[in-house]
């Protein structure tokens, strides 16, 4: 009998608990959001309030930061899945105690401190950036906008990519540039976030004109060369926090940045012309290339930084030919490589300035071989040829090796050979899950950076507008390649030497389909 009484008592308690749970009130909605909470370790409690009269949200948050492998902040959220744009105006309240207090919009996988996420944060000192954490407990990275203290921001999730926009001087939101490929699964937490950057304090921001919307994206049936794109010229640190910085965002297509030897400028091509732009951002200026106005993305600078080399297709036969001119420009660039049966694409300049390496593409069969040519005159030398296609030659800083990409093993991989005669080819990358293109050696000789496609591209192709990663590895092979960043890019992203002279950063181009 005692067992029956005990069982009934337990059942009764369970029924009472269930009834109590059913009667428990749901968290009160806060405007268009469902709930709020402190995320991570916050010594001082945060709070969010909604003003129905103005539609604004006043969010007070503590916490040490939204950064690194875990976050601490106050979050006001709702749940959404799929493509989404979340936008708001942001105004901090008061002078603040920390220059890096943060307020912004966020899409977060879950409510754990180390959750994957993407956000657009405005700092107390005006810095604005798209931040993201790709894996649980992993590092946070960022793409820094080239505008400061924007009053409005928008985080844009489209497919597996996140982008961002900031408010310009005209009062309208404009694409800030840059993108990152991050796979957030299912229904995510979307909302407003504030972190004090000081766990002993709180900071407050007012969010107004908050909107959550689903973008209407036109289908682009062919993302190849005919597709319209926007371009972002970026630089990226390859050590430290590996921040990406927007130099300039373009409404059209640009390609292939080189860094000048003094570190002050970047050189790129667009619509057949060559341009120079300050590395810190500003207005681009066209370089005079005389009659050569159909330049492609295979261009670069001499080792002493005084000359520009271009690959141009102005002639009626549309074959690419190589010319040299002063970096300041010339009405009459000097022809240095021309063939009636091949297209010539420059890629490397020997450290002593005497020899160039280029790709010789046979018009008869489409094979890619690597040739060298002394600039003082003399015959071309077929340095590296078959089996397979060989492309992207670049000299090591000590002049001992030519690095290149080749299909000779049945996958596009990075190789190197003796620069003097092309002997002793050695395979550098060996992961069959990637198609690796365009090895670029840091000026100090310690690193190789390159573009990696997936295996969904043709073996010998490097098409535009694809999912790609930028990877880096030690030149001595002491560690395998690691991913620097994931982006929408491909052809034009990093075709030519693109290291800063101090070996600390690379320059590249990311793209966004116009749709």
């Amino acid at each position: 009998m005692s067992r029956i009484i005990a069982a009934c008592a337990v059942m009764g308690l369970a029924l009472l608990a269930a009834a109590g749970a059913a009667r428990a009130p749901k968290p009160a909605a806060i405007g268009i959001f469902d709930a709020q909470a402190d995320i991570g370790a916050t010594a001082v409690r945060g709070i969010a309030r909604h003003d129905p009269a103005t539609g604004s949200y006043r969010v007070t948050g503590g916490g040490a930061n939204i950064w690194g492998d875990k976050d601490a902040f106050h979050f006001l959220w709702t749940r959404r899945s799929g493509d989404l744009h979340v936008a708001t105006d942001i105004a901090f309240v008061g002078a603040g105690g920390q220059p890096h207090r943060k307020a912004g919009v966020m899409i977060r996988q879950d409510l754990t401190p180390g959750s994957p996420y993407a956000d657009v944060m405005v700092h107390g000192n005006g810095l604005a950036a798209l931040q993201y954490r790709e894996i649980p407990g992993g590092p946070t990275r960022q793409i820094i906008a080239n505008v400061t203290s924007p009053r409005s921001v928008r985080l844009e999730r489209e497919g597996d990519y996140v982008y961002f926009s900031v408010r310009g001087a005209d009062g309208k939101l404009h694409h800030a540039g840059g993108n990152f490929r991050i796979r957030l699964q299912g229904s995510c937490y979307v909302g407003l976030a504030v972190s004090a950057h000081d766990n002993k304090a709180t900071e407050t921001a007012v969010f107004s004109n908050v909107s959550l919307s689903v973008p209407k994206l036109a289908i682009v049936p062919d993302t190849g060369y005919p597709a319209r794109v926007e371009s972002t010229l970026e630089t990226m640190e390859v050590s430290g926090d590996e921040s990406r910085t927007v130099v300039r965002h373009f409404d059209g297509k640009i390609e292939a940045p080189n860094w000048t030897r003094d570190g002050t400028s970047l050189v790129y091509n667009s619509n057949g012309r060559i341009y120079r732009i300050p590395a810190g951002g500003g207005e681009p200026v066209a370089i005079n290339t005389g009659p050569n106005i159909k330049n492609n993305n295979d261009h670069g600078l001499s080792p002493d930084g005084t000359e520009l080399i271009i690959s141009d297709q102005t002639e009626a036969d549309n074959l690419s030919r190589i010319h040299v001119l002063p970096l300041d420009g010339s009405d009459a660039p000097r022809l240095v490589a021309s063939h009636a049966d091949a297209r010539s694409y420059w890629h490397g300049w020997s450290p002593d300035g005497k020899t160039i390496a280029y790709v010789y593409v046979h018009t008869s069969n489409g094979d890619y071989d690597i040739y060298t040519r002394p600039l003082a005159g003399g015959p071309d030398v077929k340095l590296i040829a078959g089996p397979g296609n060989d492309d992207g030659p670049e000299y090591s800083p000590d002049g001992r090796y030519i690095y290149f990409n080749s299909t000779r093993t049945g996958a596009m991989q990075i190789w190197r050979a003796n620069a003097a005669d092309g002997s002793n080819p050695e395979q550098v990358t060996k992961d069959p899950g990637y198609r690796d293109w365009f090895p670029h050696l840091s000026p100090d000789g310690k690193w190789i950076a390159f573009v990696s496609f997936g295996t969904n591209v043709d073996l010998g192709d490097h098409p535009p507008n694809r999912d790609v990663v930028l990877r880096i590895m030690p030149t001595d092979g002491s560690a395998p390649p690691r991913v620097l960043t994931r982006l929408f890019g491909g052809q034009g992203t990093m075709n030519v030497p693109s290291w800063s002279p101090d070996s600390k950063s690379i320059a590249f181009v990311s793209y966004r389909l116009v749709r």
Side-chain angles (χ1 to χ4, degrees):
M1 180 66 69
S2 60
R3 290 179 181 177
I4 295 175
I5 294 172
C8 290
V10 169
M11 184 178 295
L13 289 172
L15 290 172
L16 286 171
R23 291 194 299 269
K26 294 182 178 180
I30 308 167
I32 63 173
F33 298 102
D34 298 327
Q36 61 175 305
D38 287 328
I39 306 298
T42 56
V44 185
R45 183 183 177 186
I47 188 69
R49 295 183 175 89
H50 175 236
D51 182 350
T54 63
S56 64
Y57 300 83
R58 184 183 178 96
V59 181
T60 298
N65 207 352
I66 303 171
W67 192 253
D69 59 359
K70 58 183 179 296
D71 308 318
F73 65 103
H74 194 72
F75 193 30
L76 174 62
W77 77 81
T78 186
R79 299 290 296 273
R80 293 291 181 92
S81 59
D83 294 344
L84 179 69
H85 289 182
V86 51
T88 186
D89 299 342
I90 300 174
F92 283 105
V93 175
Q98 288 288 339
H100 288 289
R101 57 180 174 162
K102 295 177 180 177
V105 289
M106 176 181 289
I107 299 176
R108 194 172 186 89
Q109 186 69 72
D110 57 53
L111 299 179
T112 63
S115 170
Y117 76 91
D119 67 28
V120 181
M121 287 291 144
V122 178
H123 297 226
N125 65 0
L127 185 146
L130 171 65
Q131 300 182 160
Y132 47 88
R133 180 183 297 120
E134 187 177 5
I135 59 174
T140 294
R141 305 297 189 213
Q142 65 181 345
I143 303 173
I144 301 172
N146 64 352
V147 299
T148 57
S149 302
R151 288 185 292 169
S152 305
V153 299
R154 182 172 65 207
L155 174 61
E156 301 150 358
R157 180 190 184 191
E158 299 176 4
D160 287 337
Y161 282 91
V162 286
Y163 309 85
F164 70 128
S165 293
V166 296
R167 184 176 179 181
D170 60 1
K172 299 179 182 179
L173 285 167
H174 297 274
H175 292 162
N179 61 71
F180 185 77
R181 178 160 47 96
I182 179 171
R183 291 189 172 96
L184 298 174
Q185 305 296 322
S187 179
C188 297
Y189 295 81
V190 181
L192 311 176
V194 171
S195 177
H197 203 76
D198 180 351
N199 198 36
K200 298 178 181 179
T202 61
E203 296 285 353
T204 299
V206 174
F207 299 84
S208 55
N209 298 314
V210 178
S211 66
L212 301 175
S213 61
V214 177
K216 296 180 180 179
L217 303 174
I219 295 174
V220 181
D222 180 3
T223 63
Y225 292 97
R228 291 179 57 214
V229 296
E230 299 173 2
S231 310
T232 305
L233 178 58
E234 300 185 56
T235 61
M236 180 181 187
E237 301 172 1
V238 297
S239 59
D241 63 13
E242 296 180 353
S243 292
R244 292 164 55 178
T245 299
V246 173
V247 176
R248 188 179 178 91
H249 184 66
F250 299 82
D251 291 335
K253 188 170 188 176
I254 75 160
E255 297 179 304
N258 310 117
W259 219 305
T260 58
R261 302 296 184 228
D262 61 6
T264 64
S265 303
L266 296 164
V267 174
Y268 65 89
N269 66 286
S270 180
N271 294 319
R273 305 301 298 268
I274 305 293
Y275 293 85
R276 183 171 180 167
I277 188 172
E283 290 296 322
V285 176
I287 296 174
N288 176 23
T289 55
N292 306 108
I293 56 173
K294 291 186 178 180
N295 297 287
N296 55 54
N297 54 36
D298 296 318
H299 47 78
L301 278 68
S302 61
D304 65 6
T306 64
E307 293 185 294
L308 173 68
I309 192 164
I310 56 176
S311 304
D312 172 75
Q313 298 171 227
T314 300
E315 298 295 331
D317 58 12
N318 200 38
L319 294 180
S320 180
R321 294 173 170 84
I322 301 173
H323 299 73
V324 172
L325 64 150
L327 180 57
D328 291 336
S330 171
D331 291 328
R334 178 167 63 98
L335 180 65
V336 296
S338 174
H339 300 277
D341 64 344
R343 300 185 295 275
S344 304
Y345 299 103
W346 174 86
H347 276 276
W349 205 318
S350 64
D352 61 11
K354 296 179 179 180
T355 307
I356 61 168
Y358 66 96
V359 181
Y360 184 107
V361 182
H362 301 261
T363 55
S364 59
N365 57 19
D367 286 348
Y368 287 56
D369 295 323
I370 294 172
Y371 280 56
T372 60
R373 182 180 183 87
L375 289 175
D380 291 279
V381 176
K382 183 188 286 188
L383 190 72
I384 298 169
N389 286 343
D390 303 301
D391 202 344
E394 186 168 314
Y395 287 89
S396 60
D398 61 9
R400 293 180 58 196
Y401 299 105
I402 285 276
Y403 283 77
F404 60 100
N405 47 277
S406 176
T407 60
R408 59 188 57 205
T409 58
M412 187 62 82
Q413 302 285 293
I414 306 300
W415 288 71
R416 75 175 186 181
N418 290 333
D421 57 9
S423 63
N424 298 322
E426 303 174 76
Q427 190 171 351
V428 175
T429 60
K430 302 177 181 179
D431 188 338
Y434 291 104
R435 306 233 196 274
D436 298 328
W437 283 81
F438 305 129
H440 302 309
L441 284 292
S442 60
D444 62 10
K446 295 180 180 179
W447 300 99
I448 312 169
F450 50 95
V451 180
S452 294
F453 294 81
T455 57
N456 59 338
V457 305
D458 292 341
L459 180 60
D461 196 11
H462 52 293
N465 307 326
R466 295 299 184 99
D467 298 337
V468 298
V469 296
L470 303 185
R471 299 203 292 164
I472 191 172
M473 67 178 294
T475 310
D476 62 10
S478 58
R482 64 182 177 87
V483 173
L484 283 172
T485 194
R486 305 179 189 277
L487 54 88
F488 192 67
Q491 171 74 296
T493 288
M494 201 169 68
N495 295 54
V496 291
S498 53
W499 280 89
S500 62
D502 61 6
S503 299
K504 293 181 179 180
S505 300
I506 56 173
F508 59 94
V509 180
S510 59
Y511 298 98
R512 183 176 188 171
L513 292 172
V514 175
R515 54 180 187 169

